[in-house]
Amino acid sequence: MALPLVTPRLTGFVRRLVDDGHFSDEEMFDALETAKKNREDIVNYLVEKLNFSSLILAETISKEFGEPLLDLAAYDQSLLPKNLVDKKHILNYRIIPLFQRASSIILAVSNPTNLEAIDTIRLNSKLQPEIVIVEHNKLIEIIQQNFNEESHFEFDDDDLDISFDEETENDGTSQDDLDQDPENEAPIVKYINKLLVDAIRMGASDLHFEPYEKSYRVRYRVDGILRQIATPPLQLANRLSSRLKVMSQMDISEKRVPQDGRIKLKLSKNKAIDFRVNSLPTLFGEKIVLRILDPSSAMLGIDALGYEPEQKALFLDALHQPQGMVLITGPTGSGKTVSLYTGLNILNTEDANISTAEDPVEINLEGINQVNVNNKVGLSFAAALRSFLRQDPDIIMVGEVRDLETAEIAIKAAQTGHMVLSTLHTNSAPETLTRLRNMGVPSFNIATSVNLVIAQRLVRRLCPSCKAPIDIPKNSLLEMGLTEQDLQEEFTIYQPVGCSECRDGYKGRLGIYEVMKITPEISRLIMEDANALQIADVSARLGFNNLRRSGIKKVISGLTSLQEVHRVTSNS
């Protein structure tokens, strides 16, 4: 597959990345197309979304363009000129002026193909730009530390333009509540804003605000692991929870029952992050958990999810069947929603009528009819599904099959010419089939409607900058799940170390998958009411890797560690 010619210069360094073996032609083509679709700089996309090494990328660009490479970690930030270039150009174009030399200005850039940025700075500074290549992540970090006021958290509430989700019930609270006793509340407002923006910057997925008898703590979930971030004074507990409830339009006077809300945080004109908020009354006050919903995660593309080539082919083939059901299973936080949205984006074309029932809708998808389930008013998954079938649908997505009624309607839709996507909470693909049978769904209906089952987990990705090889005895490798055939090939197993670019030797996450196609042989087992172990044996014989085996392949590829795979798949 030929690479798209975005610009003649751009083709050069991405082609070098392909020639050096870092990407295949198809992977780079998909990366360029996705970055273009999202209007995102390709360098930022490779580093931030695909977790590619910023050092390798910088070295490649330096060689391709013949420009010097500078390590920003060795640069004294106190020497950065503050007035040579307008701060808005630094933030918009992600370019740092390092110093002036006669009539020249030395610029640190991670993508020298951004000619518009260089020309803009030439016109505004009246100086001749000279560029040096730097690592993208270090560039962004220095911009945030020195030029982005949001990163210093020296802002008022209005600077972030925090707005409320108008669809959320207000229950009598309003923006006026923020103005009561402004002298006392201003520090709380800034402190909450600091925590929210800091969580986004760290790549957290959830924030936990937790009151206890003698303490209060704030924790972030980063790469799937909860970490304590702050311990504010216990006497601030009520003010912190009240502020969060006002922002998410909950009833601040109601502290006896759980509540749900939503916060929209606008970081800039083009960047907004949603938080799904839940409050829970506990013994010593209200625990509040915020789930960060980043719309860009729904646009990653299938290649960024971590499927093996044969698993990707099975998924795409199932998606493009005229009818049937694709089920995605795994515990909370295993990436099921991102997989569903990725599938929907692939199917989202002008000629497809797509409807989804979700509890709640996490990310808005243009061109897809999304419905928020609301059991309080009778809008359950089953009720939404019944309505969908009267709306001339082609594709239906059900957030979760929770009961027999929902399962029966979803299966009826899959049997009558519709593609249905949904999730269940089970540990493996074979267990999903037996779970449906235990719900009361007849075996015949399961065998004739389900096309594909995907079980998935998220493992932490080893930091490419500091991972170190480790020598493990052959017997130990065999005990950990590697086969004799694996050991006949040359590969290196790595362990986490830890450096300035990562946390505990890991940076980002990737998926491991058990993708099981419902073949005629597996259909016969379903009809015979076989148990999950029997189905798993046949699935393995047919070549469908289970979760542990998929994790081992990621270890052999050098993407994650054996201990991480064991942590995630020990009970699978």
Side-chain angles (χ1 to χ4, degrees), residues 8-212:
R9 300 186 78 195
L10 187 60
T11 304
F13 81 80
V14 297
R15 170 52 60 190
R16 186 183 285 258
L17 289 171
V18 172
D19 291 342
D20 289 347
H22 299 298
F23 296 92
S24 67
D25 273 8
E26 185 178 8
E27 289 171 339
M28 184 56 74
F29 176 83
D30 289 343
L32 289 167
E33 287 296 298
T34 305
K36 183 178 179 181
K37 180 179 179 181
N38 297 342
R39 298 181 179 179
E40 185 172 1
D41 179 87
I42 184 61
V43 170
N44 186 76
Y45 181 81
L46 293 175
V47 174
E48 297 293 333
K49 299 298 191 299
L50 299 188
N51 289 301
F52 186 67
S53 168
S54 59
L55 176 58
I56 293 175
L57 185 56
E59 290 174 342
T60 302
I61 293 173
S62 175
K63 292 176 184 176
E64 180 66 25
F65 291 98
E67 301 289 359
L69 180 66
L70 174 69
D71 182 6
L72 280 178
Y75 187 81
D76 185 353
Q77 297 183 35
S78 65
L79 301 177
L80 289 173
K82 300 294 185 181
N83 301 315
L84 279 180
V85 175
D86 193 319
K87 186 173 71 173
K88 68 180 181 182
H89 295 319
I90 295 173
L91 296 174
N92 288 340
Y93 295 125
R94 295 178 171 180
I95 288 180
I96 297 178
L98 297 177
F99 57 88
Q100 180 180 351
R101 183 173 59 200
S103 61
S104 298
I105 181 172
I106 312 302
L107 301 175
V109 304
S110 60
N111 185 356
T113 67
N114 193 346
L115 302 181
E116 177 188 347
I118 296 172
D119 289 340
T120 299
I121 290 176
R122 177 188 290 111
L123 291 173
N124 283 270
S125 67
K126 303 294 190 293
L127 298 171
Q128 181 61 36
E130 296 181 14
I131 65 172
V132 294
I133 308 299
V134 296
E135 296 171 56
H136 183 73
N137 59 344
K138 293 180 180 178
L139 176 72
I140 299 303
E141 182 178 353
I142 288 185
I143 289 175
Q144 291 177 337
Q145 290 175 354
N146 295 274
F147 300 99
N148 190 348
E149 291 178 356
E150 289 173 355
S151 297
H152 278 156
F153 310 111
E154 296 173 356
F155 43 70
D156 294 325
D157 191 43
D158 293 338
D159 293 332
L160 278 178
D161 191 16
I162 295 175
S163 61
F164 299 128
D165 188 337
E166 295 178 357
E167 294 181 357
T168 306
E169 294 181 6
N170 194 314
D171 292 330
T173 60
S174 70
Q175 182 69 25
D176 293 337
D177 292 308
L178 301 181
D179 299 327
Q180 297 177 5
D181 200 1
E183 285 190 12
N184 289 333
E185 291 308 312
I188 297 295
V189 168
K190 290 189 176 184
Y191 184 65
I192 293 290
N193 289 344
K194 172 186 183 297
L195 291 172
L196 297 186
V197 179
D198 202 24
I200 295 169
R201 182 176 59 81
M202 291 176 64
S205 61
D206 302 85
L207 295 82
H208 294 243
F209 292 79
E210 302 169 310
Y212 296 97

Side-chain angles (χ1 to χ4, degrees), residues 111-404:
N111 185 356
T113 67
N114 193 346
L115 302 181
E116 177 188 347
I118 296 172
D119 289 340
T120 299
I121 290 176
R122 177 188 290 111
L123 291 173
N124 283 270
S125 67
K126 303 294 190 293
L127 298 171
Q128 181 61 36
E130 296 181 14
I131 65 172
V132 294
I133 308 299
V134 296
E135 296 171 56
H136 183 73
N137 59 344
K138 293 180 180 178
L139 176 72
I140 299 303
E141 182 178 353
I142 288 185
I143 289 175
Q144 291 177 337
Q145 290 175 354
N146 295 274
F147 300 99
N148 190 348
E149 291 178 356
E150 289 173 355
S151 297
H152 278 156
F153 310 111
E154 296 173 356
F155 43 70
D156 294 325
D157 191 43
D158 293 338
D159 293 332
L160 278 178
D161 191 16
I162 295 175
S163 61
F164 299 128
D165 188 337
E166 295 178 357
E167 294 181 357
T168 306
E169 294 181 6
N170 194 314
D171 292 330
T173 60
S174 70
Q175 182 69 25
D176 293 337
D177 292 308
L178 301 181
D179 299 327
Q180 297 177 5
D181 200 1
E183 285 190 12
N184 289 333
E185 291 308 312
I188 297 295
V189 168
K190 290 189 176 184
Y191 184 65
I192 293 290
N193 289 344
K194 172 186 183 297
L195 291 172
L196 297 186
V197 179
D198 202 24
I200 295 169
R201 182 176 59 81
M202 291 176 64
S205 61
D206 302 85
L207 295 82
H208 294 243
F209 292 79
E210 302 169 310
Y212 296 97
E213 183 177 12
K214 297 180 180 179
S215 64
Y216 191 97
R217 69 176 176 180
V218 179
R219 293 190 291 172
Y220 294 169
R221 188 177 295 278
V222 181
D223 292 339
I225 305 296
L226 274 172
R227 306 177 188 280
Q228 183 168 303
I229 298 299
T231 54
L234 182 59
Q235 58 266 32
L236 296 181
N238 288 335
R239 293 168 64 188
L240 290 170
S241 61
S242 294
R243 170 61 185 166
L244 288 166
K245 290 171 72 175
V246 167
M247 291 172 69
S248 51
Q249 287 197 309
M250 297 180 189
D251 182 356
I252 61 173
S253 64
E254 179 57 77
K255 300 181 180 181
R256 299 165 298 176
V257 297
Q259 296 186 64
D260 292 299
R262 200 176 182 102
I263 298 171
K264 181 180 288 292
L265 186 64
K266 293 182 180 177
L267 299 178
S268 66
K269 292 182 180 179
N270 301 317
K271 179 69 172 178
I273 300 290
D274 284 348
F275 296 80
R276 190 180 74 203
V277 188
N278 176 265
S279 69
L280 177 69
T282 66
L283 189 60
F284 299 107
E286 289 182 285
K287 174 178 178 177
I288 298 183
V289 176
L290 290 76
R291 165 65 60 89
I292 299 178
L293 309 174
D294 187 351
S296 63
S297 65
M299 311 296 279
L300 288 178
I302 192 169
D303 289 316
L305 299 185
Y307 285 96
E308 298 294 331
E310 61 274 13
Q311 294 177 332
K312 172 185 170 183
L314 288 172
F315 188 22
L316 292 175
D317 179 66
L319 287 175
H320 290 101
Q321 294 298 314
Q323 66 182 52
M325 181 180 289
V326 174
L327 294 172
I328 299 178
T329 182
T332 301
S334 60
K336 299 188 299 296
T337 300
V338 172
S339 292
L340 279 177
Y341 282 177
T342 299
L344 289 176
N345 275 318
I346 292 170
L347 297 171
N348 188 14
T349 58
E350 184 180 349
D351 59 352
N353 178 21
I354 305 176
S355 296
T356 74
E358 305 172 61
D359 182 21
V361 173
E362 295 194 359
I363 297 172
N364 298 327
L365 300 175
E366 186 71 25
I368 294 177
N369 309 293
Q370 297 173 272
V371 174
N372 247 328
V373 167
N374 187 345
N375 289 310
K376 292 180 181 178
V377 298
L379 183 56
S380 62
F381 280 119
L385 267 174
R386 279 193 292 267
S387 180
F388 289 167
L389 294 177
R390 296 190 289 270
Q391 291 265 323
D392 184 32
D394 298 302
I395 299 150
I396 295 171
M397 191 271 272
V398 187
E400 183 183 349
V401 175
R402 294 179 179 173
D403 51 47
L404 177 59

Side-chain angles (χ1 to χ4, degrees), residues 404-450:
L404 177 59
E405 183 182 16
T406 305
E408 287 179 334
I409 300 172
I411 284 175
K412 177 184 176 182
Q415 292 174 331
T416 54
H418 307 94
M419 171 54 61
V420 179
L421 289 79
S422 190
T423 72
L424 281 90
H425 288 274
T426 57
N427 286 330
S428 67
E431 288 178 37
T432 302
L433 302 173
T434 56
R435 169 73 186 281
L436 287 172
R437 192 169 64 233
N438 292 338
M439 280 185 179
V441 179
S443 299
F444 173 79
N445 284 342
I446 300 172
T448 57
S449 60
V450 179

